[in-house]
Amino acid sequence: MKTAKTKPPLLKYYFLTFASLSSLILFFFFSTQRRHSLTSFLTTTAATTHSSSASEVDLKIRPGYTSYDAYIQRQLNKTLNPKLRKIWMTRDWDRKIHVFSNFFRELQLQNLLSNSSKSLCIGARVGQEVEALKRVGVSDSVGIDLVPSPPLVLKGDFHNQPFDNEMFDFEFSNVFDHALYPRKFVGEIERTLKPDGVCVLHLALSTRADKYSANDLYSVKPLIHL
């Protein structure tokens, strides 16, 4: 494992293989005494980036939203879709919990997550990742989503988390592509993360995500900038 350091803010890069969720990039950032150092974990199976254009347009916000309410309603159209919710609660339930559990165990082995970590899953839908955290021993875990799914998921907008400052040791999300305002998305994580806390984002790069996504990301550069 190689580590490269720059002048403050500290910037570190680690590379590892994560086979459970291919075509994803894992982006980690840490909060340290109110200064935030960034750490990106890149999978060797990640989708290839457009190297020629990465420096030109790395993060595109999708147009077409006439208001924030219109954006929220579009997100709700997916979250409240009865067919999708049935799939999430049945066919996908055990499969996703298994994948998330294996991943969280790897984080525990790397001392990035412990059983005592107060944890938040952002955009958790029906709560598979929250349930996975609890099953690996991280009992103080909760999720937020526009549509609550008690007892695992509370109602909350990730652009304005319903929590006080510095509440969580660990935050996880795989819905960065649904953020209409990426700066607010990241800023709320930084606000609610404790000093020395860890955040993990699963990111799809160089591929257009589903029709409900609000942005398309082509490299980790914009997140490092944020």
Side-chain angles (χ1 to χ4, degrees), residues 25-71:
I25 279 193
L26 310 180
F27 182 83
F28 290 54
F29 66 83
F30 296 76
S31 167
T32 306
Q33 298 178 352
R34 298 183 185 275
R35 296 179 65 92
H36 299 88
S37 61
L38 302 175
T39 308
S40 63
F41 287 64
L42 308 182
T43 71
T44 59
T45 56
T48 57
T49 60
H50 299 304
S51 58
S52 60
S53 62
S55 61
E56 299 172 8
V57 183
D58 289 349
L59 177 60
K60 292 183 179 180
I61 306 300
R62 296 187 183 180
Y65 295 108
T66 57
S67 66
Y68 191 69
D69 286 341
Y71 156 78

Side-chain angles (χ1 to χ4, degrees), residues 2 39 41 66 74 96 190 200:
K2 297 181 179 180
T39 308
F41 287 64
T66 57
R74 184 164 177 78
K96 288 189 175 180
E190 292 182 330
V200 182

